Amino acid sequence: AALATPHAAPIALRLRTSTNILVRTRPSKTSRGKQRGTQDANIALKRTYNAKIKAANWREALRLLQEMRAKGVEPDVINYSCAISRCGRDGKWQCALDLLDEMRSSGLVPNVITYSSAINACAKGGKSQRALDLLEEMRSRGLVPNQITYSSVISACAKGGESQRALNLLDEMRSRGLAPTEISYSRPHGPLGRAAAAPANPHAAPKPPRHPP
């Protein structure tokens, strides 16, 4: 009879042991189902709160964010962006910037919508330099300003008396194929209309308002 290989038994034992370990450590179907169910529930809850935040004033928006955390669900970028927008709508620009800092501290990365909402809040608060700083920050992060971003920062510059900066941004916006919004451009007494009418040099002759092509 052939002699048994002395290492055959230990190898087989190791294979059985490894297989048992794999079987024991692999998540069961029930466990995976529970995890997936929890994730789906969290997504649904975030969507529900986002709808509530959109309809809330700035105080209620902040309360809703706190309520989410109390339920064990951390607000995501969309929730924060919406809350920042609510703060801006109610003229609470500092609150909007505080939320922007808070979401960064929690590890979330602001997107174009987040920055646009924060810039719009600064525009409504007459904080042109803050708006310009945010525009440069988002560019440094590789984000491309959209129509709302440009319109908001142009409005901030116009309100802050930086008419030439507003017009430069308008030219930049149009060079990127973006059309100015109705609020910032087409109304002659809107922020951009006033900027277009204001001379860059106080001793220069006034320029007529620009009109859309």
Side-chain angles (χ1 to χ4, degrees), residues 8-134:
I11 291 174
L13 179 60
R14 287 200 296 273
L15 287 173
R16 286 198 300 272
T17 302
S18 299
T19 302
N20 290 337
I21 291 173
L22 288 173
V23 171
R24 287 197 300 270
T25 57
R26 184 183 298 120
S28 65
K29 290 184 178 180
T30 302
S31 176
R32 291 196 301 270
K34 287 182 178 179
Q35 291 176 355
R36 190 161 49 245
T38 301
Q39 292 173 352
D40 292 343
N42 286 344
I43 292 173
L45 189 61
K46 289 178 180 180
R47 287 176 178 172
T48 299
Y49 271 95
N50 202 51
K52 292 181 178 180
I53 293 171
K54 284 182 178 180
N57 60 35
W58 71 279
R59 289 184 185 277
E60 181 66 8
L62 297 182
R63 190 195 68 77
L64 289 168
L65 291 178
Q66 293 177 346
E67 189 175 285
M68 289 181 69
R69 298 188 191 94
K71 292 185 176 182
V73 179
E74 284 298 319
D76 59 16
V77 174
I78 298 176
N79 299 137
Y80 269 109
S81 298
C82 194
I84 289 172
S85 177
R86 296 308 89 189
C87 290
R89 183 190 63 180
D90 291 345
K92 302 297 180 180
W93 64 271
Q94 186 60 62
C95 179
L97 296 184
D98 289 343
L99 284 176
L100 182 61
D101 289 338
E102 181 182 301
M103 69 176 290
R104 288 197 196 102
S105 299
S106 65
L108 296 174
V109 179
N111 58 22
V112 174
I113 296 176
T114 313
Y115 277 108
S116 297
S117 298
I119 289 173
N120 188 51
C122 292
K124 291 187 175 181
K127 303 298 177 181
S128 59
Q129 190 55 53
R130 292 291 187 98
L132 289 167
D133 289 344
L134 288 173

